[in-house]
Amino acid sequence: QDVVILQSLSDPVDSNIMELSLLADAAERAGARSITAVIPWMGYSLQDKVFRSGEPIAARVIANMVSASGVKRVILMDLHNNSVAGFYSVPTTVLSSLDIFVADIQAHCDLTHAVVISPDFGGLKRAAVLAERLGVELANIDKMRDLVTGKVTARFAGGNITGKTCIVTDDCINTGSTIVEVARVLKKQGASKVIFYATHALLAGKASELLQKSEVDEVVVADTVAIPPAKQFKKLRVISVVPAFAQALKSMI
């Protein structure tokens, strides 16, 4: 049979990685014709290079583990860096949440006075595509993160957002510090509303509490990571990206 293993490598990350690897090995030993690993969130993928001397490239290590487990194909979604897909030694497909986010924004936001914001220069391409699809202007935040303390500082890079709804887009939410700082800067610049769209909601530590108290008006995330009740908060809204994975699987199997 063609076997599909669905496993998001979120908390508990290490257990889920081992479980995926062992399931793939068991399926291969049981005679599966093909094994496809659907990994909505790839744990350790943010460590895609050596940021400071002595660090590992954790994303490569995980990709090697999955590739060696018997998996014949991998399906991922919205990597922080698409080059991570090249770490796998089996065919890999990277899906996007863009279509689903565009439909949600069009259904819930008044685009007459809206602008798309990239929270940093690294996400400018993603934000530019979203702005083009929505037919609105694009602006940018200049964000810096201290690699030792993790502290985020941001400044508005230019443009007029007074009285506008700012739609900020990013690939994931980790500690929430980026959203908190970006929302503060945008509201200071005169934004009437700040809505943050992100694919993966990791919500590490006290992220949920910080986001609820921040100046962001709404946080919209995909269901690539299961969010326990203790980490859910009033400003959070979860939408499903299941159709994107279903469509991809139908075309492959």
Side-chain angles (χ1 to χ4, degrees):
Q1 299 292 321
D2 294 308
V3 175
V4 177
I5 302 174
L6 170 62
Q7 180 76 302
S8 196
L9 304 184
S10 52
D11 187 40
V13 184
D14 300 348
S15 295
N16 284 337
I17 291 170
M18 284 303 301
E19 187 174 72
L20 171 62
S21 299
L22 294 177
L23 282 169
D25 182 77
E28 183 181 42
R29 292 177 185 279
R33 179 169 61 179
S34 70
I35 304 171
T36 301
V38 176
I39 307 176
W41 162 251
M42 179 185 165
Y44 291 101
S45 60
L46 298 181
Q47 185 71 22
D48 54 19
K49 61 184 177 181
V50 175
F51 294 92
R52 294 183 295 169
S53 178
E55 292 181 343
I57 303 179
R60 180 186 290 275
V61 174
I62 301 306
N64 287 342
M65 287 179 63
V66 174
S67 298
S69 66
V71 165
K72 299 300 185 290
R73 179 182 291 275
V74 174
I75 304 178
L76 308 165
M77 175 168 277
D78 285 345
L79 293 169
H80 187 65
N81 185 341
N82 280 336
S83 65
V84 168
F87 292 160
Y88 289 88
S89 60
V90 296
T92 305
T93 301
V94 182
L95 304 182
S96 171
S97 61
L98 180 65
D99 289 343
I100 293 171
F101 280 177
V102 166
D104 188 82
I105 293 169
Q106 291 173 334
H108 292 87
C109 299
D110 180 5
L111 298 177
T112 307
H113 300 289
V115 58
V116 169
I117 306 288
S118 173
D120 52 39
F121 284 108
L124 196 54
K125 183 177 180 181
R126 180 189 303 106
V129 173
L130 178 61
E132 182 180 3
R133 289 282 300 275
L134 295 174
V136 302
E137 294 182 353
L138 173 69
N140 187 59
I141 292 285
D142 183 9
K143 183 192 77 175
M144 292 166 286
R145 184 188 299 275
D146 189 306
L147 293 179
V148 177
T149 65
K151 183 179 179 181
V152 172
T153 56
R155 66 179 181 85
F156 189 62
N160 181 18
I161 60 170
T162 303
K164 294 186 177 182
T165 296
C166 291
I167 302 169
V168 190
T169 180
D170 209 349
D171 60 302
C172 72
I173 302 171
N174 191 8
T175 64
S177 56
T178 293
I179 304 179
V180 172
E181 182 67 7
V182 167
R184 182 191 67 80
V185 170
L186 293 175
K187 286 292 181 72
K188 186 177 180 181
Q189 289 292 323
S192 63
K193 194 173 184 179
V194 177
I195 305 173
F196 199 97
Y197 275 80
T199 307
H200 313 291
L202 306 181
L203 301 176
K206 296 183 178 181
S208 297
E209 181 182 341
L210 292 174
L211 293 175
Q212 182 60 36
K213 293 179 179 178
S214 74
E215 296 186 64
V216 70
D217 294 281
E218 187 178 28
V219 178
V220 184
V221 299
D223 56 352
T224 57
V225 174
I227 304 174
K231 289 191 175 184
Q232 295 176 16
F233 53 100
K234 290 183 179 180
K235 292 182 179 180
L236 180 70
R237 183 162 61 87
V238 182
I239 59 178
S240 180
V241 288
V242 166
F245 286 103
Q247 184 178 354
L249 285 168
K250 283 181 179 179
S251 66
M252 294 176 185
I253 298 177

